[in-house]
Amino acid sequence: MSVPEDEERLLPLVQRWPRASKFLLSGCAATVAELATFPLDLTKTRLQMQGEAALARLGDSARESAPYRGMVRTALGIVQEEGFLKLWQGVTPAIYRHVVYSGGRMVTYEHLREVVFGKSEDKHYPLWKSVIGGMMAGVVGQFLANPTDLVKVQMQMEGKRKLEGKPLRYRGVHHAFAKILAEGGIRGLWAGWVPNIQRAALVNMGDLTTYDTVKHYLVLNTPLEDNIMTHSLSSLCSGLVASILGTPADVIKSRIMNQPRDKQGRGLLYKSSTDCLIQAVQGEGFMSLYKGFLPSWLRMTPWSLVFWLTYEKIREMSGVSPF
């Protein structure tokens, strides 16, 4: 039965526009998590770019003269050679990206869970449905956010280009968007979208699926209630699984998005994500796919912890039911 228009105006905003409210709430939670853990993301990206075998074809000396080795030395090198605040270089497009990405994936996952697949009467949600829902949510969220992710990755590498004596490509976030759009058109903003959504599908299968499954298992099968302890345990598990599943795709995604391009916007190093994968394994070994795993895990775990604790809390404060 529909609610009369006068009564609808008196309802809280979260009840009048539930999906929009959840989109904004998840975006706020993601912003807090991004600011708290961004230096680890920058460190991870720098590590993933080191020793790129494909650069040898272009005669680039960066592969032989990589100045950093390991997570701690990479972070210290950035601070010593570029400045402390450079640990947050690229944080603005990262926040843009996570507002769109987190909002899209959370709204999609909950819609699939509550409307499309549906829970059973005892609140049980089968794992296979959660896996499909998590992967689909990741694909939708990441496809929408790809332009901001592209700018974030390229701006994170600007400090390294300066140290190597190369000219900086962008003056700021908006200049980066404008330049990429001018050089590659609308299609250029979605460069690397295939490995991007592949990574997002794996990460969200690890993050959303693990968090949802572990949380409801603990609530339904242990003395634990739906509180901060349950949220913390679930988010720690989701961060670990997401890192294990997502790091190889993250390495491929970062390399494809950061590679030099011709005037038509085509990559000069890799033809596709599969080509990048083959070149990485053949030229650097299988473990090159896990470059940056430690900072990725150390970043993913606190990011997941901060995000889920913040998201659950602001949902509670806003009168929205728990995730």
Side-chain angles (χ1 to χ4, degrees):
M1 188 173 70
S2 61
V3 179
E5 187 174 341
D6 291 339
E7 291 185 19
E8 185 177 351
R9 291 199 189 97
L10 298 176
L11 291 174
L13 291 177
V14 293
Q15 293 184 26
R16 291 166 61 185
W17 300 302
R19 290 192 180 89
S21 298
K22 290 174 182 177
F23 186 99
L24 292 175
L25 293 177
S26 61
C28 291
T31 299
V32 173
E34 195 67 18
L35 288 171
T37 63
F38 189 78
L40 286 168
D41 186 53
L42 176 65
T43 303
K44 174 204 71 175
T45 301
R46 294 285 182 91
L47 281 170
Q48 289 173 343
M49 298 303 175
Q50 287 185 172
E52 223 173 329
L55 287 173
R57 294 209 315 268
L58 296 182
D60 198 318
S61 61
R63 187 186 176 211
E64 287 74 26
S65 60
Y68 311 130
R69 287 294 184 273
M71 182 189 74
V72 175
R73 291 177 64 184
T74 298
L76 288 176
I78 294 171
V79 173
Q80 292 171 355
E81 298 171 23
E82 303 173 44
F84 178 74
L85 293 180
K86 290 299 182 180
L87 288 172
W88 279 269
Q89 182 165 315
V91 72
T92 302
I95 290 175
Y96 290 167
R97 181 247 181 186
H98 265 288
V99 169
V100 178
Y101 169 69
S102 294
R105 73 183 184 120
M106 299 304 292
V107 170
T108 301
Y109 183 82
E110 286 199 72
H111 178 75
L112 292 172
R113 185 182 65 181
E114 307 297 338
V115 179
V116 178
F117 294 138
K119 290 184 177 180
S120 60
E121 293 183 2
D122 61 355
K123 301 296 182 182
H124 178 68
Y125 190 53
L127 179 61
W128 69 269
K129 289 184 178 181
S130 185
V131 167
I132 295 174
M135 294 182 73
M136 291 179 65
V139 168
V140 171
Q142 186 55 60
F143 184 79
L144 294 174
N146 197 82
T148 53
D149 204 17
L150 175 66
V151 171
K152 182 199 79 169
V153 170
Q154 296 204 6
M155 289 197 68
Q156 283 179 328
M157 298 305 295
E158 288 297 273
K160 184 182 176 186
R161 289 177 63 88
K162 186 175 181 179
L163 288 177
E164 293 171 352
K166 298 177 181 178
L168 298 182
R169 295 173 292 186
Y170 313 115
R171 295 191 299 269
V173 176
H174 299 102
H175 177 244
F177 275 112
K179 186 174 181 180
I180 293 171
L181 186 62
E183 293 178 351
I186 293 293
R187 183 179 177 182
L189 291 173
W190 268 267
W193 71 272
V194 174
N196 232 353
I197 65 171
Q198 290 169 345
R199 172 191 177 271
L202 292 171
V203 167
N204 281 278
M205 183 173 67
D207 185 31
L208 286 173
T209 300
T210 302
Y211 182 84
D212 196 19
T213 302
V214 172
K215 175 188 171 181
H216 288 93
Y217 176 84
L218 292 175
V219 170
L220 296 174
N221 297 282
T222 72
L224 291 175
E225 298 180 354
D226 194 347
N227 54 27
I228 190 170
M229 177 61 71
T230 302
H231 302 160
S232 299
L233 291 173
S234 302
S235 62
L236 290 174
C237 293
S238 68
L240 175 60
V241 176
S243 295
I244 293 173
L245 294 177
T247 296
D250 195 29
V251 171
I252 302 303
K253 176 216 63 166
S254 294
R255 291 188 173 191
I256 285 181
M257 296 182 88
N258 191 61
Q259 69 176 322
R261 298 182 179 276
D262 61 19
K263 294 182 179 180
Q264 285 71 45
R266 293 190 295 264
L268 299 177
L269 299 179
Y270 312 111
K271 299 176 183 177
S272 64
S273 56
T274 303
D275 181 44
C276 182
L277 172 67
I278 293 172
Q279 289 195 51
V281 173
Q282 289 180 344
E284 305 162 55
F286 176 78
M287 292 309 296
S288 66
L289 298 177
Y290 279 90
K291 281 185 176 181
F293 173 77
L294 183 58
S296 178
W297 173 57
L298 290 177
R299 192 239 180 187
M300 184 69 74
T301 299
W303 193 98
S304 182
L305 182 66
V306 173
F307 172 79
W308 285 112
L309 292 182
T310 305
Y311 187 49
E312 294 277 18
K313 188 62 179 178
I314 59 177
R315 282 175 71 113
E316 178 187 341
M317 294 171 60
S318 303
V320 180
S321 60
F323 178 77

